[in-house]
Amino acid sequence: MQDATDTPDILQEPRLWSDGRWTARVIKNEDDDGWAVAMTLQGESEPALVGPWTMGRDKKNPKPLDVSAFNTLVKTASEVIRRHEQQLHAQLNKNVTITTVQGQRLRVALAIVPDEEGATATLSAHDDLGEELARVPVPPSFKLTPASAAAWADAGFERSR
């Protein structure tokens, strides 16, 4: 027997659609006389996407949601979230490739782990085969550049102070 809380709430009303994961809500646009649609992922307090919505034939009320529009909105909102996650990953994970004074090519990576109590960061060096040569904690404010990576490698991968 399946618990009622396990079943997604499927709604298909003119101004409110939900598939249990995403909810599309047509709302009055506060900036003008038109309408907007807000796409919210279940469990999130803020919408992932808010955009203009088409007026109906009477030019007063919004066009009702339908399956095609809902599917397009889900796809667009999912893409917005995916791009946001990619941007956050890129901000928190950086790497540069350097050549040491001995002629060895290395990939030096900085990984920052956000935390409400205080972020942490790790600097690591990998050879051409991907083998980790060194790993040290660094301040989250550490600036990874080819010059800082080369200086760290030239210093024998010592822990920064």
Side-chain angles (χ1 to χ4, degrees):
M1 186 170 137
Q2 195 174 19
D3 189 358
T5 59
D6 292 341
T7 8
D9 292 331
I10 296 175
L11 297 169
Q12 294 183 345
E13 298 173 7
R15 295 187 190 177
L16 179 67
W17 271 56
S18 179
D19 63 2
R21 182 163 188 258
W22 284 101
T23 300
R25 184 179 312 273
V26 177
I27 54 177
K28 186 78 172 136
N29 188 341
E30 297 171 9
D31 295 336
D32 65 24
D33 292 335
W35 294 88
V37 63
M39 289 296 293
T40 307
L41 189 58
Q42 182 179 0
E44 296 295 322
S45 59
E46 295 293 319
L49 174 72
V50 177
W53 189 244
T54 309
M55 296 287 257
R57 290 183 184 187
D58 64 3
K59 302 295 182 202
K60 284 184 181 178
N61 295 306
K63 178 181 162 192
L65 286 162
D66 61 29
V67 68
S68 176
F70 181 76
N71 289 339
T72 300
L73 289 165
V74 167
K75 182 178 178 182
T76 304
S78 297
E79 182 67 18
V80 167
I81 287 178
R82 188 179 71 75
R83 286 183 183 171
H84 176 73
E85 289 169 348
Q86 286 175 332
Q87 179 185 13
L88 182 60
H89 183 270
Q91 287 175 335
L92 298 175
N93 298 279
K94 301 190 182 303
N95 67 74
V96 297
T97 302
I98 61 165
T99 303
T100 65
V101 291
Q102 296 85 14
Q104 183 181 21
R105 285 181 47 85
L106 301 176
R107 183 179 62 83
V108 178
L110 174 66
I112 301 171
V113 179
D115 189 325
E116 288 180 11
E117 309 229 349
T120 59
T122 305
L123 193 62
S124 60
H126 304 265
D127 66 13
D128 277 339
L129 300 175
E131 185 176 332
E132 186 173 274
L133 304 174
R135 175 178 293 269
V136 297
V138 295
S141 59
F142 182 85
K143 299 292 182 213
L144 179 62
T145 64
S148 66
W152 180 54
D154 292 344
F157 304 113
E158 289 182 13
R159 185 175 177 168
S160 72
R161 300 188 197 283

